[in-house]
Amino acid sequence: MQEEQSGKRRKTSHPHPSPQPLPSEQITNTSRSSFLFSRHAPLVFSNYLKLLLHACGLFIFILAIHFILSASHREIDGRVMQHLQELEEEKIQCFKKYQENQCDLYGHQPFFSHFCNQWQQCMNRDLGAGIARTKMIMMAYGEMVNALVEPLTIKAMLTICLLLFGVFIGSTLVF
């Protein structure tokens, strides 16, 4: 009774049985090997497989775009170099004509002055200023597109479109 009056309680320890895990907790507490045999494993694996296939397809698409752009860049650079060589040859021809006709001596005469001025301007022009790179880029892309499309018939273009459409729809519906 003294314990009750003083307000102190005596602590007793009783062994409490550990609570049994619920069935849903048993699934999360199991090892990885049992996950392979769970009912969700095929869905998880098919989703990972789908992700892998889509990633591979995207990688191939990006790689194809890279190869197309690098090939077109090489083509454009080749055309610019060819154009620069033509301008250099033209500049050399103007220099030869200027020297052959002795424009430095006879350039002030009325008959020679017109030609000598043209040859002198041709010799003194800057090679970089004569290049219209944007025009050359557009011409190159136009020729590449025409080279791809001209040999194809309507039947071949429709077949290619249906094949691509079927691949995309089929890959989506499979999974």
Side-chain angles (χ1 to χ4, degrees), residues 78-95:
R79 287 181 186 217
V80 167
M81 293 304 295
Q82 180 182 2
H83 187 68
L84 282 174
Q85 287 175 349
E86 290 172 1
L87 288 176
E88 184 67 31
E89 290 173 6
E90 186 178 326
K91 190 175 180 179
I92 291 171
Q93 290 296 326
C94 291
F95 179 73

Side-chain angles (χ1 to χ4, degrees), residues 140-163:
Y141 280 137
E143 288 177 10
M144 284 187 269
V145 168
N146 284 339
L148 288 173
V149 174
E150 282 180 358
L152 295 176
T153 62
I154 300 293
K155 184 178 177 182
M157 285 189 262
L158 287 175
T159 304
I160 291 170
C161 289
L162 286 175
L163 180 67

Side-chain angles (χ1 to χ4, degrees), residues 8 32 55 63 67 75 100 105 113 148 172:
K8 291 185 181 179
R32 284 188 176 180
L63 198 62
F67 285 141
E75 174 72 23
E100 286 174 359
L105 298 175
S113 66
L148 288 173
T172 304

Side-chain angles (χ1 to χ4, degrees), residues 63-77:
L63 198 62
I65 295 295
H66 171 71
F67 285 141
I68 289 170
L69 289 178
S70 64
S72 65
H73 184 69
R74 284 191 303 269
E75 174 72 23
I76 290 167
D77 286 344

